[in-house]
Amino acid sequence: MRPLAAFHLAIFSVLAYAGSAAADLIFLKDGFVLQGKVKREGTVTVDNGQPVWMPQGFFLIDADCRRLYFSPGQVQEVDAKNANTEIEVKMPVFIAPNFTTALPPLREVIDIGNWDEKWDRSFQFRTFGRQVAVTQHLSFLSPTFARMDVLRRPTAPTNYYWSFCYHTRELGPANVQRLLDLHQDYRVLKDKSDEENASRRVRAFQFLAQAGWYDAAADEIKAIRKAWPAQKEKADIAAVMLSKVRAFQLVDDAKRAAEVGQHTLAQKLLAEFPEDGADDKSLAQVRALRLKYDAANEHFKYARGMLCTLSCDLDDTTEARSLADAATAIAAEIRLDHFLRLRDSESDIGRLDTFIAQAKQVERQLQAGANPVHTREQLLALAITGWLLGNSASEDKVESAMRLWKARQFVLKQQQTESDADRRQLVQEYETQKDAISAEELAQMIPLLPPPEPAEVAGKALRDHALRLSSQQKVTYTLQLPPEYHHGRAYPVLCVLHATNEKPKAILERWSPLAAQNGYLLVAPEWDTGVAGNYRYTAEEHAAVLESLRDLRRRYQVDSDRVFLAGVGQGGNMAYDLGLSHPDQFAGVLPMSAQPGPFARYAYWRNAQYLPFYVVDGDHAGETHRDNIRQLFTEWIPRGYPAMSVEYKGRGLEWFAGEMWFSFDWMSRKKRAFPLPQLGKNPGAVRGEEMQTMRATDNRFYWLSTDGIYDRHLNDAARWNANTFAATLYGKIGDGNVVNLTLHGVKNATVWFSRGMIDFDKPVTIYVNLQVSKWNQKKVPPSAATLLEDLYQKGDRQRLFLARVDLDRV
């Protein structure tokens, strides 16, 4: 996807109208683009009667309605002082100078009124112990930024001096269109000429187009043509400008739809793309994507047809029937996704390329009267091996294909078996068979398999799932499927945690449109397992979410490397805590109007060193609230942690609808980390950065875990003991298969090994706290039992562990 700021600049270059202001473009290393003015926090002191600016605190970006804080280590490049050519609309109002009372902290928005003809509205909110009503006046409006000032009301018991800042997107196109209609510079007046009135509406069109509301902008063009036919030239010029902008947007929409697997939509947009008047770059992108779709459709149809043809022409033998069954299953599973290559790094694409190439060669040889290089059975073997292990592993040996297909059936059956003993028995029986494949081959196959308990996907996109945990706790989660979902493609997940005063479907509805547009599985668990109230930092609340995610992985095709956790209010408090307690489960955490609890502030903040955070708040939520967040970022930013704080000016604890667009852009550039060769930093130091745990269930961090935390290191949020220190885990894999662990406060530990971590053919030595452990110069054999049991327990098919070493009495 095109970087957000770069796309805006392209639009503004077409629709530029008003004066410009200096701004910086900040390009982060992951491709995320920010626009604003780079600043440094500080204070003014007086020295010998002269004011002196003293820098202190963080570097930040001032982006009109919000401030952004993050580590400079995330920055790739700063392009200073770009011209920001946004239209600016002002509605000045006199603010009495005797407004000396500061607005109290905004803890909850209760009600907002409608705008009147003076651009005023009522605004009610709750602060500590009482409700407050003020009148907001919209003083400044641009396509991205709106500022509202509190007006003095003679009848009010207390008057406040404060400004609220909003992203214009939060106001909505209908409201903004009405506000422009009321403004003196945009209002259509009877005493003005047709030319002047048409010019006013052209300005409204330009504003709406810059804001990205193209349908509303098109309505303005229609209104100009209808009301003032003689001003056709103005309407035509505006229409040409809009068509160019829409061409930019249409290309982006088609590319995004293709990238997220919405191929019906993507091909529809490509077919409808208006080539007349489009710029050369847009035309080139559209034509290139059309060619890719043409090739993918051809390969898709050919592969499915050839699989059916070959499986029908086989002899009636046991081997032939097995090949035919495998071919029929593959033909049913393949989708256009498996042939559309948008990026070279996509490993799941082209699994049948060798099969297609060889099948076409055989057809040509038969047509020429020559002997074919492959039999029907060998061609099917190419299809089966390529489908199960990837195109690079394709081979025409029928026995290899049968071994792999048998292994696939075994894995699916084993994963569908509920009994622990029965699962172990299945593995033992399989490993005794002569044609059993290795654990390494199983690990290569598993990410390409369908879900073990595939849900029916036809019908409603919104559905509820219920499950019962081992503790007999009943959990329900609501799921929204993305458009064109199927089990053959791995989808990212956004797990959203509701506030205590709402149901899961309410928070899901807020995220729903953009989640669908960006191809996310959107899941909202019922995490509040007791009487509605505050988040309690309990294992039961964690289980409600983690088990919902496990269930999701077993029913649907999940990309576990792209699972994100978001929450608002108390749900945001939980997002902080759950993300830091289980950092290996998520690619990013997005708390909104929330604050970190005691576990995060005093110990778990270190667990964010590989886990990105995107924190959204208002700077008027209250000093304690702001200090708690700042405490985290004071630790995170100097250490270069991948965290970003977005702080809206004048706002409090509320829903920031305008931030969701940025959130999806941020998430699109994130994948779950896997810290190798080092897990944690500075072991044993006073301010060390090992993985931290203070609860028995917070016990697994990437490739290191424990189930034996000493009681003296356990803590409870309800009875918080500030004198309790966390247990810590640190690991490093060095040359020569040497693993160094530094552990404190735990009785035991388990080291999990995946492909690429060590050389499984050579012995391994593990040191614990500088002492050689019982595992000294011994090989770690890959194990199908370990691989499949861990897969069953977590459902995570992207992070597969082939072996484990359990260390007792460390």
Side-chain angles (χ1 to χ4, degrees), residues 565-727:
L565 182 66
V568 63
Q570 291 292 328
N573 294 2
M574 183 179 184
Y576 272 117
D577 187 51
L578 183 61
L580 291 170
S581 302
H582 304 275
D584 58 315
Q585 294 294 303
F586 304 104
V589 182
L590 301 92
M592 180 182 290
S593 293
Q595 62 177 325
F599 290 98
R601 297 199 308 274
Y602 297 113
Y604 284 25
W605 60 263
R606 300 164 176 86
N607 298 347
Q609 56 195 278
Y610 313 108
L611 176 64
F613 271 77
Y614 191 90
V615 177
V616 182
D617 266 291
D619 68 1
H620 209 64
E623 287 302 317
T624 300
H625 179 96
R626 195 178 182 201
D627 288 348
N628 286 340
I629 296 173
R630 195 174 184 87
Q631 181 179 339
L632 278 194
F633 277 84
T634 299
E635 303 288 0
W636 286 348
I637 288 181
R639 292 174 169 85
Y641 285 16
M644 179 174 294
S645 171
V646 180
E647 186 179 77
Y648 276 75
K649 302 173 186 176
R651 306 280 292 276
L653 296 183
E654 51 189 296
W655 177 255
F656 297 91
E659 198 58 36
M660 298 170 72
W661 197 35
F662 299 101
S663 297
F664 277 98
D665 190 26
W666 181 83
M667 287 188 289
S668 72
R669 307 169 193 285
K670 297 287 185 272
K671 292 192 74 172
R672 176 173 55 168
F674 189 54
L676 288 174
Q678 182 171 304
L679 176 58
K681 302 174 185 175
N682 307 318
V686 175
R687 296 290 281 177
E689 296 170 69
E690 308 98 319
M691 297 291 104
Q692 309 272 316
T693 176
M694 302 176 82
R695 285 175 293 207
T697 51
D698 303 343
N699 62 353
R700 185 159 178 172
F701 302 95
Y702 304 98
W703 49 270
L704 192 56
S705 67
T706 180
D707 60 4
I709 304 170
Y710 283 106
D711 290 346
R712 63 179 179 273
H713 294 286
L714 299 177
N715 218 329
D716 187 331
R719 297 175 293 276
W720 184 259
N721 184 350
N723 295 318
T724 298
F725 292 95

Side-chain angles (χ1 to χ4, degrees), residues 147-183:
R147 191 191 77 241
M148 301 169 197
D149 300 313
V150 175
L151 292 180
R152 181 172 184 178
R153 300 193 307 171
T155 58
T158 306
N159 279 288
Y160 304 99
Y161 179 73
W162 200 256
S163 294
F164 300 77
C165 295
Y166 291 77
H167 198 289
T168 304
R169 194 180 298 111
E170 296 182 72
L171 305 183
N175 269 330
V176 170
Q177 204 162 10
R178 178 174 174 271
L179 290 166
L180 294 176
D181 290 344
L182 295 170
H183 193 274

